[in-house]
Amino acid sequence: MPFSHCGALIPRISDEPVVESAWERFLQDKPLGGEGVRKVVLSSWQRCRSEAVDPTKHAAPGAAAERVHQLQRQNRDLCDVAHPALESLREILRECGTLIMLCDSSGTILHLNGGTQVRSVGEEVNLATGGCWNEDVIGTNAIGTAIATGAAVQIHANEHFCLEVKRWTCAAAPIFDPFDHTLLGVVDVSGVKETLHGHTLGLVVAAAKQIECELGRRDVVLHERLLTRSIDNFIRYASDYVVLVDGRGRIVRSNGNAQSAQDMYDLRLPLQVGNQVLGLDLVLSEVDRARQRPEWLRPEWLHPVKDHEGTLGTMLVIPTGAGKRSAISLPKAVATPAGDDAFGDIIGESEVLKATKARARRIAPLDLPVLLLGETGAGKDLFARALHRAGHRADGPFVAVNCGALTRELLASELFGYVEGAFTGARRGGLPGKFEQAGGGTLFLDEIGEMPLDMQPHLLRVLQDGIVVRLGDIRERRVSVRLIAATNRDLRKEVTAGRFREDLYHRLCVVSLELPALRERPGDIEAITEHLNSKMACKYGCEPKQLEPAVQQALLSYGWPGNIRELQNVFEVMFALCEGNVIDTSLLPLVISQIAKNSFGISTSTSIPASSGRLQEMERKAILDAIANAHGNMTMAARTLGISRSTLYVKLAAIRAQPYDSSAGS
């Protein structure tokens, strides 16, 4: 037997007697001399001896059915992607009497296809679903040897280490993660030794490459979605060390000073893209993730990244604050302003807001459906969350759905869930809907007025009976949630127009809460901007900015049709673009600066004769003079006038609402 064959990839039937003799001499620890055992086989035998593998072992060990199901769930993406490739192999090898298998990275068979007769023979050595074919438990075989070497391999007959497996021939190729190059699993074709064919190795290699390519394509799509959903947070936490990991816990991107984070917290975090962070693999259960999570990884640093299809990954935000904030001070800086007050996040002291919050506090413990009414951006989400925190279900989940942001089909699957096979693209195993996810807590349906008319009866049934049926299913699932709905539409008019069901309206509107627009409480604008200033300072890791008096006046004079959301967006843009410590008028949006010029275009120094005797004009002049002399500081102006700041805002709003007549009193 020439040594030139020892490095060959494909075994030869004619070598069987030589290999059998070599195996016997190897077990007796005798020199093999010139016998031509392939190098890959001899190296495997040597590993088997070092692991004390019993060559008389009858069959591979097997996993319990529950454990197999767990492994299949953990390798769900691999199984899904591999299915077409395995089906192609099955078609090609249909008449060959072989088994086609997919194994995980430990050599456990996850899926197996093949004819009844060859399956029956395979079960004798546990070449079946759940069988573990790692080298250290069943000796040399294509699955275990491919795992050990990280390369495709074909093992034939007497080349196997264990006696009972020598009647088999097999070819296997490893499947590597295209992102981080870790071993994911193995694709294998096995049959009785008479089925040996050289092309089998090429087929399994091609199948493995096909699986890797599809996994790579999926990774690109998922990572694009993950980055799209996370890009704002990279700006928001620009002063911290941020690590973005995907659903399998692999690092996709990082930003910030890693060395600073390591020095502050003694981190042992892998820094290279593709490395895995233990405890962040979303495929695992929460218990398993918590068990794996290293001690240095604090739960408050973890921020799930989600889109309409579910959780995409995790953003790990390690506070460094460019050296300006300590690890202890950061959580305090972003805590709820009013401590334990569920409504503390809702800023303002105007009478109308106080009355609204007082009504909300009375509503919160009632556990009744609530309909929030108000303009876009008026704070409906804030009130919904506050009602949840102040209610009896505060320990349960808060789940929000925007009914106006989803198509009818997506909204149905989002709310009610679906079973496997309910529609094209449905996830394996199905998915619970938002009603089920919110069980024991609160479901917030924003923009309820946008819900399609033909979906409304389904929602009504859930509200009446507390029963959900997933799409494509007949099983009824009982749910217990508190419903909070919100709309900027006049639902009574929608009912009259036939666009909204009257019975659903009455079911939703058991209790209503009308939220004031920002223009109805101008006295709160200054307090909100002060809150935003502190919030942005914490977010960007710097000191709060000073506002030029003209900027403050401009913010007060603008009508804010987009309400608090518009104010927050405008302020954050000005804060982020401000290069110094002072926000000046050059940073104001054009529409606001123009309206401010028109509103304050009156010369406050123009004298209005006292002899006019018109109290209204005298009050107007006094207010404008006080504001001008205080350089826009409304607190100082109110103190000068001897009135409260909220009263000053009300009077100022009344002044702006009336056109100024320069001829008054003449």
Side-chain angles (χ1 to χ4, degrees), residues 390-441:
H392 297 309
R393 297 174 181 263
D395 292 335
F398 178 89
V399 178
V401 180
N402 189 322
C403 299
L406 302 172
T407 64
R408 183 205 176 284
E409 292 74 17
L410 277 177
L411 183 58
S413 62
E414 280 285 296
L415 289 179
F416 309 122
Y418 56 83
V419 296
E420 182 176 337
F423 50 84
T424 302
R427 287 187 178 185
R428 184 183 293 269
L431 191 73
K434 299 302 185 187
F435 271 101
E436 291 180 66
Q437 294 174 31

Short mmCIF file of all heavy atoms in Angstrom, two decimals, residues 390-441:
data_model
loop_
_atom_site.label_atom_id
_atom_site.label_comp_id
_atom_site.label_asym_id
_atom_site.label_seq_id
_atom_site.Cartn_x
_atom_site.Cartn_y
_atom_site.Cartn_z
N ALA A 390 -49.32 53.51 37.84
CA ALA A 390 -50.11 53.88 39.02
C ALA A 390 -51.26 52.90 39.28
O ALA A 390 -51.97 53.05 40.28
CB ALA A 390 -50.68 55.30 38.83
N GLY A 391 -51.46 51.93 38.40
CA GLY A 391 -52.56 50.99 38.54
C GLY A 391 -52.17 49.73 39.28
O GLY A 391 -51.05 49.57 39.77
N HIS A 392 -53.12 48.79 39.35
CA HIS A 392 -52.90 47.54 40.08
C HIS A 392 -52.08 46.54 39.27
O HIS A 392 -51.70 45.50 39.80
CB HIS A 392 -54.25 46.91 40.45
CG HIS A 392 -55.07 47.75 41.38
ND1 HIS A 392 -54.58 48.26 42.56
CD2 HIS A 392 -56.36 48.19 41.30
CE1 HIS A 392 -55.51 48.95 43.18
NE2 HIS A 392 -56.61 48.94 42.42
N ARG A 393 -51.83 46.83 38.00
CA ARG A 393 -51.08 45.91 37.15
C ARG A 393 -49.66 46.40 36.88
O ARG A 393 -49.04 46.02 35.89
CB ARG A 393 -51.81 45.72 35.82
CG ARG A 393 -53.20 45.10 35.93
CD ARG A 393 -53.90 45.08 34.59
NE ARG A 393 -55.23 44.51 34.64
CZ ARG A 393 -55.52 43.24 34.35
NH1 ARG A 393 -54.55 42.43 33.96
NH2 ARG A 393 -56.75 42.79 34.42
N ALA A 394 -49.15 47.25 37.76
CA ALA A 394 -47.84 47.87 37.52
C ALA A 394 -46.73 46.84 37.39
O ALA A 394 -45.73 47.08 36.69
CB ALA A 394 -47.53 48.86 38.64
N ASP A 395 -46.88 45.69 38.05
CA ASP A 395 -45.84 44.66 37.98
C ASP A 395 -45.92 43.86 36.68
O ASP A 395 -45.01 43.10 36.36
CB ASP A 395 -45.96 43.70 39.17
CG ASP A 395 -45.62 44.37 40.49
OD1 ASP A 395 -44.87 45.37 40.45
OD2 ASP A 395 -46.13 43.93 41.53
N GLY A 396 -47.02 44.00 35.93
CA GLY A 396 -47.16 43.30 34.67
C GLY A 396 -46.53 44.07 33.53
O GLY A 396 -46.08 45.21 33.69
N PRO A 397 -46.52 43.48 32.33
CA PRO A 397 -45.90 44.16 31.18
C PRO A 397 -46.74 45.32 30.66
O PRO A 397 -47.97 45.33 30.82
CB PRO A 397 -45.80 43.04 30.13
CG PRO A 397 -46.87 42.07 30.51
CD PRO A 397 -46.99 42.12 32.00
N PHE A 398 -46.07 46.28 30.05
CA PHE A 398 -46.73 47.36 29.32
C PHE A 398 -46.36 47.16 27.85
O PHE A 398 -45.20 47.25 27.48
CB PHE A 398 -46.27 48.73 29.82
CG PHE A 398 -46.89 49.88 29.05
CD1 PHE A 398 -48.09 50.44 29.44
CD2 PHE A 398 -46.25 50.41 27.94
CE1 PHE A 398 -48.66 51.50 28.73
CE2 PHE A 398 -46.80 51.47 27.22
CZ PHE A 398 -48.01 52.01 27.63
N VAL A 399 -47.37 46.89 27.02
CA VAL A 399 -47.13 46.60 25.61
C VAL A 399 -47.87 47.63 24.77
O VAL A 399 -49.08 47.84 24.96
CB VAL A 399 -47.60 45.18 25.24
CG1 VAL A 399 -47.39 44.91 23.75
CG2 VAL A 399 -46.87 44.14 26.08
N ALA A 400 -47.16 48.29 23.86
CA ALA A 400 -47.76 49.33 23.02
C ALA A 400 -47.79 48.90 21.57
O ALA A 400 -46.86 48.28 21.06
CB ALA A 400 -46.96 50.63 23.17
N VAL A 401 -48.89 49.25 20.89
CA VAL A 401 -49.05 48.98 19.47
C VAL A 401 -49.60 50.23 18.81
O VAL A 401 -50.58 50.81 19.29
CB VAL A 401 -50.03 47.81 19.20
CG1 VAL A 401 -50.17 47.56 17.70
CG2 VAL A 401 -49.58 46.55 19.90
N ASN A 402 -48.96 50.65 17.72
CA ASN A 402 -49.46 51.80 16.95
C ASN A 402 -50.34 51.25 15.83
O ASN A 402 -49.84 50.70 14.85
CB ASN A 402 -48.30 52.62 16.40
CG ASN A 402 -48.77 53.92 15.78
OD1 ASN A 402 -49.81 53.99 15.13
ND2 ASN A 402 -48.00 54.98 15.98
N CYS A 403 -51.64 51.42 15.96
CA CYS A 403 -52.58 50.86 14.98
C CYS A 403 -52.49 51.55 13.63
O CYS A 403 -52.95 51.01 12.63
CB CYS A 403 -54.01 50.96 15.51
SG CYS A 403 -54.28 50.05 17.05
N GLY A 404 -51.92 52.74 13.59
CA GLY A 404 -51.83 53.47 12.33
C GLY A 404 -50.55 53.21 11.56
O GLY A 404 -50.39 53.66 10.43
N ALA A 405 -49.62 52.45 12.18
CA ALA A 405 -48.32 52.24 11.55
C ALA A 405 -48.21 50.89 10.85
O ALA A 405 -47.19 50.59 10.25
CB ALA A 405 -47.20 52.36 12.60
N LEU A 406 -49.27 50.06 10.93
CA LEU A 406 -49.21 48.71 10.38
C LEU A 406 -50.32 48.48 9.38
O LEU A 406 -51.41 49.05 9.49
CB LEU A 406 -49.33 47.68 11.52
CG LEU A 406 -48.29 47.74 12.64
CD1 LEU A 406 -48.67 46.80 13.76
CD2 LEU A 406 -46.91 47.40 12.11
N THR A 407 -50.05 47.62 8.40
CA THR A 407 -51.09 47.22 7.47
C THR A 407 -52.11 46.36 8.21
O THR A 407 -51.86 45.87 9.32
CB THR A 407 -50.50 46.41 6.31
OG1 THR A 407 -49.95 45.19 6.83
CG2 THR A 407 -49.41 47.20 5.59
N ARG A 408 -53.25 46.12 7.56
CA ARG A 408 -54.29 45.32 8.20
C ARG A 408 -53.77 43.94 8.57
O ARG A 408 -54.00 43.43 9.67
CB ARG A 408 -55.49 45.19 7.25
CG ARG A 408 -56.66 44.44 7.87
CD ARG A 408 -57.56 43.79 6.85
NE ARG A 408 -58.60 43.02 7.51
CZ ARG A 408 -58.40 41.83 8.08
NH1 ARG A 408 -57.21 41.29 8.05
NH2 ARG A 408 -59.39 41.19 8.68
N GLU A 409 -53.03 43.30 7.63
CA GLU A 409 -52.54 41.95 7.87
C GLU A 409 -51.54 41.92 9.02
O GLU A 409 -51.60 41.05 9.89
CB GLU A 409 -51.90 41.38 6.59
CG GLU A 409 -52.88 41.12 5.45
CD GLU A 409 -53.34 42.39 4.77
OE1 GLU A 409 -52.69 43.45 4.95
OE2 GLU A 409 -54.37 42.34 4.06
N LEU A 410 -50.63 42.89 9.02
CA LEU A 410 -49.63 42.93 10.09
C LEU A 410 -50.27 43.23 11.44
O LEU A 410 -49.89 42.67 12.46
CB LEU A 410 -48.56 43.98 9.78
CG LEU A 410 -47.43 43.56 8.85
CD1 LEU A 410 -46.50 44.72 8.57
CD2 LEU A 410 -46.64 42.41 9.46
N LEU A 411 -51.25 44.13 11.44
CA LEU A 411 -51.92 44.49 12.69
C LEU A 411 -52.64 43.29 13.28
O LEU A 411 -52.59 43.06 14.49
CB LEU A 411 -52.90 45.64 12.44
CG LEU A 411 -53.62 46.19 13.68
CD1 LEU A 411 -52.63 46.69 14.71
CD2 LEU A 411 -54.58 47.31 13.28
N ALA A 412 -53.30 42.50 12.43
CA ALA A 412 -54.00 41.32 12.92
C ALA A 412 -53.03 40.33 13.57
O ALA A 412 -53.28 39.80 14.66
CB ALA A 412 -54.75 40.65 11.77
N SER A 413 -51.90 40.07 12.90
CA SER A 413 -50.93 39.13 13.46
C SER A 413 -50.25 39.70 14.70
O SER A 413 -49.92 38.96 15.63
CB SER A 413 -49.88 38.75 12.41
OG SER A 413 -49.15 39.88 11.99
N GLU A 414 -50.05 41.03 14.73
CA GLU A 414 -49.44 41.67 15.89
C GLU A 414 -50.36 41.55 17.11
O GLU A 414 -49.90 41.23 18.20
CB GLU A 414 -49.18 43.15 15.60
CG GLU A 414 -47.93 43.43 14.80
CD GLU A 414 -46.67 43.26 15.62
OE1 GLU A 414 -46.48 44.02 16.58
OE2 GLU A 414 -45.88 42.36 15.31
N LEU A 415 -51.64 41.81 16.93
CA LEU A 415 -52.56 41.83 18.07
C LEU A 415 -52.92 40.43 18.54
O LEU A 415 -52.91 40.15 19.74
CB LEU A 415 -53.85 42.58 17.70
CG LEU A 415 -53.75 44.10 17.54
CD1 LEU A 415 -55.10 44.68 17.16
CD2 LEU A 415 -53.26 44.74 18.84
N PHE A 416 -53.24 39.55 17.60
CA PHE A 416 -53.81 38.25 17.97
C PHE A 416 -52.82 37.10 17.86
O PHE A 416 -53.10 36.01 18.36
CB PHE A 416 -55.04 37.97 17.11
CG PHE A 416 -56.03 39.11 17.10
CD1 PHE A 416 -56.41 39.73 15.92
CD2 PHE A 416 -56.55 39.60 18.29
CE1 PHE A 416 -57.30 40.78 15.91
CE2 PHE A 416 -57.45 40.65 18.30
CZ PHE A 416 -57.82 41.25 17.11
N GLY A 417 -51.65 37.32 17.22
CA GLY A 417 -50.68 36.26 17.05
C GLY A 417 -51.07 35.30 15.93
O GLY A 417 -52.10 35.48 15.27
N TYR A 418 -50.24 34.29 15.71
CA TYR A 418 -50.53 33.32 14.65
C TYR A 418 -49.86 31.99 14.98
O TYR A 418 -48.96 31.91 15.84
CB TYR A 418 -50.05 33.83 13.29
CG TYR A 418 -48.58 34.20 13.23
CD1 TYR A 418 -47.60 33.23 13.01
CD2 TYR A 418 -48.17 35.52 13.39
CE1 TYR A 418 -46.26 33.56 12.96
CE2 TYR A 418 -46.82 35.87 13.34
CZ TYR A 418 -45.88 34.88 13.12
OH TYR A 418 -44.55 35.21 13.07
N VAL A 419 -50.33 30.96 14.30
CA VAL A 419 -49.72 29.64 14.47
C VAL A 419 -48.82 29.36 13.27
O VAL A 419 -48.88 30.04 12.25
CB VAL A 419 -50.80 28.54 14.59
CG1 VAL A 419 -51.63 28.74 15.84
CG2 VAL A 419 -51.69 28.51 13.36
N GLU A 420 -47.99 28.35 13.41
CA GLU A 420 -47.08 27.96 12.33
C GLU A 420 -47.88 27.61 11.08
O GLU A 420 -48.88 26.88 11.14
CB GLU A 420 -46.23 26.77 12.78
CG GLU A 420 -45.22 26.31 11.75
CD GLU A 420 -44.33 25.20 12.27
OE1 GLU A 420 -44.19 25.09 13.51
OE2 GLU A 420 -43.79 24.45 11.44
N GLY A 421 -47.47 28.18 9.93
CA GLY A 421 -48.14 27.89 8.67
C GLY A 421 -49.37 28.72 8.41
O GLY A 421 -50.07 28.48 7.42
N ALA A 422 -49.65 29.71 9.28
CA ALA A 422 -50.86 30.53 9.10
C ALA A 422 -50.80 31.33 7.82
O ALA A 422 -51.82 31.62 7.20
CB ALA A 422 -51.06 31.44 10.30
N PHE A 423 -49.60 31.72 7.40
CA PHE A 423 -49.43 32.48 6.16
C PHE A 423 -47.98 32.33 5.72
O PHE A 423 -47.12 31.85 6.48
CB PHE A 423 -49.79 33.96 6.36
CG PHE A 423 -49.11 34.61 7.54
CD1 PHE A 423 -47.83 35.12 7.46
CD2 PHE A 423 -49.79 34.69 8.76
CE1 PHE A 423 -47.23 35.71 8.54
CE2 PHE A 423 -49.19 35.28 9.87
CZ PHE A 423 -47.90 35.79 9.75
N THR A 424 -47.70 32.74 4.49
CA THR A 424 -46.34 32.66 3.96
C THR A 424 -45.41 33.53 4.80
O THR A 424 -45.67 34.71 5.02
CB THR A 424 -46.31 33.15 2.50
OG1 THR A 424 -47.21 32.36 1.73
CG2 THR A 424 -44.90 33.03 1.94
N GLY A 425 -44.33 32.96 5.28
CA GLY A 425 -43.37 33.71 6.09
C GLY A 425 -43.63 33.61 7.58
O GLY A 425 -42.88 34.18 8.37
N ALA A 426 -44.69 32.89 7.97
CA ALA A 426 -44.98 32.73 9.40
C ALA A 426 -43.84 31.98 10.07
O ALA A 426 -43.28 31.03 9.53
CB ALA A 426 -46.29 31.97 9.60
N ARG A 427 -43.49 32.40 11.27
CA ARG A 427 -42.37 31.79 11.98
C ARG A 427 -42.68 30.35 12.37
O ARG A 427 -43.81 29.99 12.66
CB ARG A 427 -42.07 32.58 13.26
CG ARG A 427 -41.39 33.91 13.02
CD ARG A 427 -40.98 34.50 14.34
NE ARG A 427 -40.30 35.77 14.18
CZ ARG A 427 -39.76 36.44 15.18
NH1 ARG A 427 -39.84 35.98 16.40
NH2 ARG A 427 -39.15 37.60 14.97
N ARG A 428 -41.64 29.56 12.41
CA ARG A 428 -41.78 28.19 12.89
C ARG A 428 -42.22 28.23 14.35
O ARG A 428 -41.64 28.92 15.18
CB ARG A 428 -40.44 27.45 12.77
CG ARG A 428 -40.51 25.97 13.16
CD ARG A 428 -39.13 25.36 13.08
NE ARG A 428 -38.65 25.29 11.70
CZ ARG A 428 -38.85 24.27 10.89
NH1 ARG A 428 -39.53 23.22 11.32
NH2 ARG A 428 -38.37 24.28 9.66
N GLY A 429 -43.26 27.51 14.66
CA GLY A 429 -43.77 27.48 16.02
C GLY A 429 -44.80 28.56 16.30
O GLY A 429 -45.41 28.58 17.37
N GLY A 430 -45.01 29.48 15.34
CA GLY A 430 -45.99 30.55 15.54
C GLY A 430 -45.46 31.65 16.44
O GLY A 430 -44.29 31.65 16.85
N LEU A 431 -46.34 32.60 16.79
CA LEU A 431 -45.93 33.74 17.61
C LEU A 431 -47.14 34.26 18.39
O LEU A 431 -48.21 34.45 17.81
CB LEU A 431 -45.39 34.87 16.71
CG LEU A 431 -44.68 36.03 17.42
CD1 LEU A 431 -43.32 35.57 17.93
CD2 LEU A 431 -44.50 37.20 16.47
N PRO A 432 -47.00 34.47 19.70
CA PRO A 432 -48.11 35.05 20.46
C PRO A 432 -48.31 36.52 20.08
O PRO A 432 -47.36 37.22 19.74
CB PRO A 432 -47.65 34.92 21.92
CG PRO A 432 -46.16 34.85 21.84
CD PRO A 432 -45.84 34.16 20.54
N GLY A 433 -49.56 36.97 20.13
CA GLY A 433 -49.86 38.36 19.82
C GLY A 433 -49.67 39.26 21.01
O GLY A 433 -49.34 38.83 22.11
N LYS A 434 -49.91 40.56 20.80
CA LYS A 434 -49.69 41.55 21.84
C LYS A 434 -50.64 41.35 23.02
O LYS A 434 -50.28 41.66 24.16
CB LYS A 434 -49.83 42.96 21.28
CG LYS A 434 -48.84 43.30 20.17
CD LYS A 434 -47.41 43.15 20.62
CE LYS A 434 -46.44 43.61 19.52
NZ LYS A 434 -45.04 43.32 19.86
N PHE A 435 -51.86 40.86 22.76
CA PHE A 435 -52.78 40.60 23.87
C PHE A 435 -52.18 39.56 24.81
O PHE A 435 -52.23 39.72 26.05
CB PHE A 435 -54.14 40.13 23.35
CG PHE A 435 -55.11 41.24 23.07
CD1 PHE A 435 -55.31 41.69 21.78
CD2 PHE A 435 -55.80 41.85 24.10
CE1 PHE A 435 -56.21 42.72 21.51
CE2 PHE A 435 -56.69 42.88 23.86
CZ PHE A 435 -56.89 43.33 22.55
N GLU A 436 -51.61 38.51 24.25
CA GLU A 436 -51.00 37.48 25.09
C GLU A 436 -49.75 38.01 25.77
O GLU A 436 -49.50 37.73 26.95
CB GLU A 436 -50.66 36.26 24.26
CG GLU A 436 -51.87 35.48 23.76
CD GLU A 436 -51.48 34.28 22.93
OE1 GLU A 436 -50.87 33.35 23.49
OE2 GLU A 436 -51.75 34.27 21.71
N GLN A 437 -48.95 38.79 25.03
CA GLN A 437 -47.72 39.33 25.61
C GLN A 437 -48.00 40.28 26.75
O GLN A 437 -47.19 40.41 27.67
CB GLN A 437 -46.90 40.04 24.52
CG GLN A 437 -46.37 39.12 23.43
CD GLN A 437 -45.70 39.88 22.31
OE1 GLN A 437 -45.12 40.94 22.52
NE2 GLN A 437 -45.79 39.36 21.09
N ALA A 438 -49.15 40.96 26.70
CA ALA A 438 -49.50 41.94 27.74
C ALA A 438 -50.27 41.29 28.88
O ALA A 438 -50.74 42.00 29.78
CB ALA A 438 -50.33 43.06 27.13
N GLY A 439 -50.40 39.97 28.88
CA GLY A 439 -51.18 39.28 29.91
C GLY A 439 -50.77 39.68 31.31
O GLY A 439 -49.58 39.66 31.66
N GLY A 440 -51.75 40.06 32.13
CA GLY A 440 -51.47 40.50 33.48
C GLY A 440 -51.03 41.94 33.58
O GLY A 440 -50.78 42.45 34.68
N GLY A 441 -50.92 42.62 32.44
CA GLY A 441 -50.46 44.01 32.42
C GLY A 441 -51.38 44.89 31.61
O GLY A 441 -52.61 44.75 31.66
#
